[in-house]
Amino acid sequence: MSSDLKDLYQEVVLEHSKRPRNFRVVEGATCAAEGYNPLCGDQLSVTLKLEDGVIRDIGFQGQGCAISKASASLMTGAVKDKTREEAESLFERVHTLVTEGPDKVDVESLGKLAVLSGVSEFPARVKCASLAWHTLHAALDGRTTSVSTE
Amino acid sequence: MSGPGFDLARVRADFPILRQEVRGRPLVYLDSAATGQKPQAVLDAITRYYTHDNANVHRGVHILSERATQAFEDARETVRRFIHAKDVREVIFVRGTTEAINLVAATYGRKHVGPGDEVLISAMEHHSNIVPWQMVCDAAGAKLRVIPVDEQGALRMDAVDALLTEKTRLLAITHVSNALGSVNPIKELVAKAHAKNIPVLVDGAQSVTHFPVDVQDLGCDFYAFSGHKLFGPTGIGVLYGKLSMLESLPPYQGGGDMILSVTMEKTVYNRVPHRFEAGTPDMAGAVGLAAAIRYLEAVGMQNVSQHDQWLLAYATEALQSIPGLKLVGTAPHKTGVLSFTLEDVHPHDVGTILDQEGVCIRTGHHCAQPLMQRFGVAATARASLALYNTREDVDALVKGLQKVKEVFA
């Protein structure tokens, strides 16, 4: 396997795509949004419970490739018990990571999400990695319309 | 089945883009259903046109305009010959298949589809032969009806008679499915529709590249295709229409060249086909398309068709031998399109890993989302074949798929 491909499909990514965490609808969710990637037809929903500005619970459902599932799974773990502002800030750093690469962002602060760094070598896959995050952003914004990566 | 019927190595040598390495490996291009590669003859024809003959058509009195007009109208005749149209006026140059269908929707649709009417399409249509008809139906208060496909991806011919009713104003159907490769029995469908005085539009984007097409033999009223899939340039396409049909239609876009005279009070429209070609057309595109057609005629469309079936048989067997691989679209009559799913691996991941091996395929819904829903998948991986593909290309695909399985083991 080429080293770029190894970076993209790291063990953690493959593991999360096969056994996604928080793959469920959050009961009594206060925020929800649908994400959609018209390029491939992938669809994903995020439900979460926001209390006093803190994400107390979050889940996602839908179908997608290994990258989009792993990104969504890792995201749910990373933003749980974070404030809305912390989650938005994390989104920005992840976005920079997958679009511009690990040199442009404080990778340390990303924790497990750093495994998504390989995506930056695959421009065609950036939308896969960011779909769940755009959907989270829409859910926190209270937007009810579905978001699209196009 | 015997081999290609032409010198495959020589044909490959005619396509300069194939002579490159990508990602450190020889390029294996298996995405010709999305767009075809261009032979040197096409590249040369475009360069020659811009180098020696470029001017605007139909208007100038000078030598260059004469040459450009001649080249453009010669291209129209080349297209007529290729699809066996009766009259050169039956060939309208447009941007591509999509515009050709939209032209029919905007003219025929606007004139003939009214409240309570129906437009009939099939479940295997590309979005470009669904959305324009939804728009026509929405505007008119008409209904879109759909011929179903069976498990193998073949059209359910047994359902057609009941769907062609006195309310049906048009049957708009693809000749070959871009996502499955299924070939529809157009001649039979036209006979059924015409028996009830229903005109037929055929989306030929995926058929003209694979086998000879004779619009008079098919009997269809409209036939649409694109230059770029036919190994010609992008931005040019053709709408064939029966002369009597075209002459009965209102204009499409208004502008220069589609008129005979204009006063502020009244415009007299030009004759067919110019009536449907407002504005400066894509002259270089038409010249390039004609060069592509002459190239295919030299190879022989029968030979192209034989090669397609020869390679499809080889590829089908090779892919079916891969455990966990499921072909989507196994109609008895099909062209070189291999749409598949691989166990639980998403097509995007398949595509990325194959790309690292130098193998270009298409992944996604192929602009045929209703068809994907029919087969219960969001997307497939699709390898599509053309006259320049070899058994070695198929072998590289199979090897790449083993790699995919290793990564996701």
Side-chain angles (χ1 to χ4, degrees):
Chain A
M1 203 187 330
S2 74
S3 64
D4 281 353
L5 206 53
K6 263 190 194 136
D7 287 346
L8 182 67
Y9 293 112
Q10 293 185 45
E11 278 301 313
V12 178
V13 170
L14 290 173
E15 205 272 325
H16 272 265
S17 78
K18 282 172 192 160
R19 290 197 311 112
R21 319 292 196 269
N22 305 307
F23 194 78
R24 60 190 165 84
V25 175
V26 171
E27 283 199 25
T30 58
C31 308
E34 290 268 322
Y36 185 62
N37 184 351
L39 189 76
C40 54
D42 286 350
Q43 167 273 328
L44 182 148
S45 69
V46 168
T47 46
L48 62 92
K49 199 182 272 186
L50 193 67
E51 282 171 3
D52 306 324
V54 175
I55 299 168
R56 292 291 176 209
D57 197 7
I58 178 165
F60 83 101
Q61 283 205 305
Q63 52 189 345
C65 60
I67 306 303
S68 84
K69 267 204 251 170
S71 177
S73 173
L74 287 159
M75 177 190 83
T76 56
V79 302
K80 205 167 169 180
D81 295 324
K82 294 263 189 340
T83 65
R84 170 204 291 246
E85 290 71 26
E86 285 167 338
E88 295 284 7
S89 150
L90 201 52
F91 171 32
E92 270 171 40
R93 274 173 285 155
V94 168
H95 195 256
T96 306
L97 177 74
V98 298
T99 52
E100 295 175 44
D103 303 341
K104 305 282 178 172
V105 63
D106 175 16
V107 179
E108 293 281 302
S109 73
L110 290 172
K112 272 190 193 166
L113 291 165
V115 297
L116 296 173
S117 64
V119 174
S120 62
E121 292 298 321
F122 294 81
R125 305 305 297 276
V126 168
K127 284 176 180 171
C128 309
S130 54
L131 178 60
W133 294 86
H134 283 292
T135 314
L136 168 67
H137 179 69
L140 288 172
D141 248 17
R143 273 184 271 152
T144 47
T145 49
S146 66
V147 296
S148 157
T149 55
E150 284 299 290
Chain B
M1 197 175 285
S2 62
F6 53 78
D7 186 341
L8 187 48
R10 253 186 80 182
V11 163
R12 282 186 69 79
D14 291 333
F15 290 80
I17 205 167
L18 300 177
R19 284 177 226 144
Q20 65 178 303
E21 290 201 339
V22 291
R23 315 218 187 266
R25 291 164 204 272
L27 170 70
V28 175
Y29 186 74
L30 293 170
D31 195 18
S32 296
T35 197
Q37 298 303 348
K38 321 303 173 196
Q40 190 65 50
V42 168
L43 307 177
D44 289 346
I46 296 168
T47 304
R48 211 180 310 122
Y49 172 80
Y50 277 127
T51 309
H52 298 290
D53 304 326
N54 180 53
N56 211 328
V57 290
H58 299 146
R59 283 179 276 266
V61 291
H62 52 76
I63 177 79
L64 290 190
S65 181
E66 245 174 61
R67 278 195 220 148
T69 304
Q70 190 67 47
F72 187 64
E73 294 304 325
D74 284 352
R76 202 188 301 276
E77 165 59 20
T78 304
V79 171
R80 185 208 62 78
R81 185 177 71 215
F82 183 61
I83 58 171
H84 302 276
K86 194 188 272 177
D87 192 304
V88 73
R89 290 173 291 174
E90 297 177 321
V91 175
I92 300 165
F93 283 120
V94 289
R95 280 188 298 141
T97 311
T98 299
E99 190 181 24
I101 296 171
N102 275 278
L103 192 164
V104 179
T107 57
Y108 176 89
R110 205 164 48 194
K111 184 171 176 181
H112 294 286
V113 181
D117 288 343
E118 294 174 359
V119 173
L120 184 59
I121 62 170
S122 88
M124 67 171 88
E125 298 309 314
H126 186 281
H127 294 166
S128 60
N129 201 29
I130 301 173
V131 183
W133 303 117
Q134 279 178 343
M135 291 162 71
V136 164
C137 288
D138 282 351
K143 199 173 168 207
L144 192 67
R145 305 204 63 186
V146 183
I147 307 170
V149 300
D150 68 17
E151 265 310 300
Q152 289 183 294
L155 196 72
R156 286 268 310 275
M157 286 301 285
D158 57 321
V160 172
D161 288 325
L163 285 164
L164 286 169
T165 72
E166 71 282 357
K167 291 180 187 163
T168 313
R169 291 290 160 266
L170 183 78
L171 167 60
I173 187 157
T174 193
H175 201 163
V176 171
S177 158
N178 72 308
L180 306 173
S182 320
V183 181
N184 288 324
I186 296 299
K187 202 172 170 176
E188 201 183 331
L189 286 162
V190 169
K192 281 179 186 292
H194 282 185
K196 295 180 179 174
N197 286 319
I198 299 162
V200 180
L201 173 141
V202 180
D203 170 355
Q206 300 291 341
S207 43
V208 286
T209 62
H210 287 297
F211 51 77
V213 166
D214 182 331
V215 290
Q216 288 191 71
D217 181 54
L218 293 172
C220 57
D221 300 85
F222 300 105
Y223 200 92
F225 63 95
S226 299
H228 74 99
K229 292 195 204 288
L230 196 62
F231 318 109
T234 54
I236 187 84
V238 170
L239 174 68
Y240 156 84
K242 271 185 188 160
L243 193 58
S244 56
M245 176 62 90
L246 291 178
E247 283 177 335
S248 75
L249 294 181
Y252 169 47
Q253 294 173 332
D257 236 22
M258 56 78 73
I259 54 91
L260 284 179
S261 75
V262 177
T263 65
M264 285 304 174
E265 288 72 37
K266 186 176 168 54
T267 293
V268 180
Y269 302 122
N270 204 342
R271 290 181 296 270
V272 171
H274 307 296
R275 186 197 298 170
F276 298 105
E277 293 178 351
T280 299
D282 184 357
M283 289 91 76
V287 165
L289 172 57
I293 288 173
R294 285 195 300 275
Y295 179 82
L296 287 169
E297 286 173 337
V299 175
M301 281 310 292
Q302 283 294 354
N303 292 330
V304 170
S305 177
Q306 187 186 330
H307 169 262
D308 180 59
Q309 293 301 307
W310 168 74
L311 198 55
L312 175 64
Y314 181 77
T316 304
E317 200 179 322
L319 289 187
Q320 278 174 337
S321 71
I322 298 173
L325 187 143
K326 186 170 175 286
L327 281 173
V328 180
T330 51
H333 194 190
K334 65 178 279 191
T335 62
V337 168
L338 299 125
S339 226
F340 59 90
T341 56
L342 187 63
E343 285 165 345
D344 296 333
V345 187
H346 191 281
H348 266 194
D349 298 312
V350 174
T352 292
I353 295 166
L354 287 178
D355 176 54
Q356 292 295 303
E357 301 292 306
V359 179
C360 305
I361 62 155
R362 176 74 183 270
T363 64
H365 51 59
H366 318 297
C367 296
Q369 283 185 298
L371 185 66
M372 296 292 113
Q373 283 155 19
R374 160 69 182 82
F375 285 96
V377 292
T380 68
R382 179 189 72 183
S384 54
L385 311 172
L387 71 163
Y388 38 67
N389 287 122
T390 62
R391 286 186 165 191
E392 288 72 26
D393 290 343
V394 173
D395 295 341
L397 169 67
V398 171
K399 210 173 134 223
L401 290 171
Q402 308 290 3
K403 193 72 132 240
V404 174
K405 295 186 78 161
E406 280 169 34
V407 172
F408 280 86

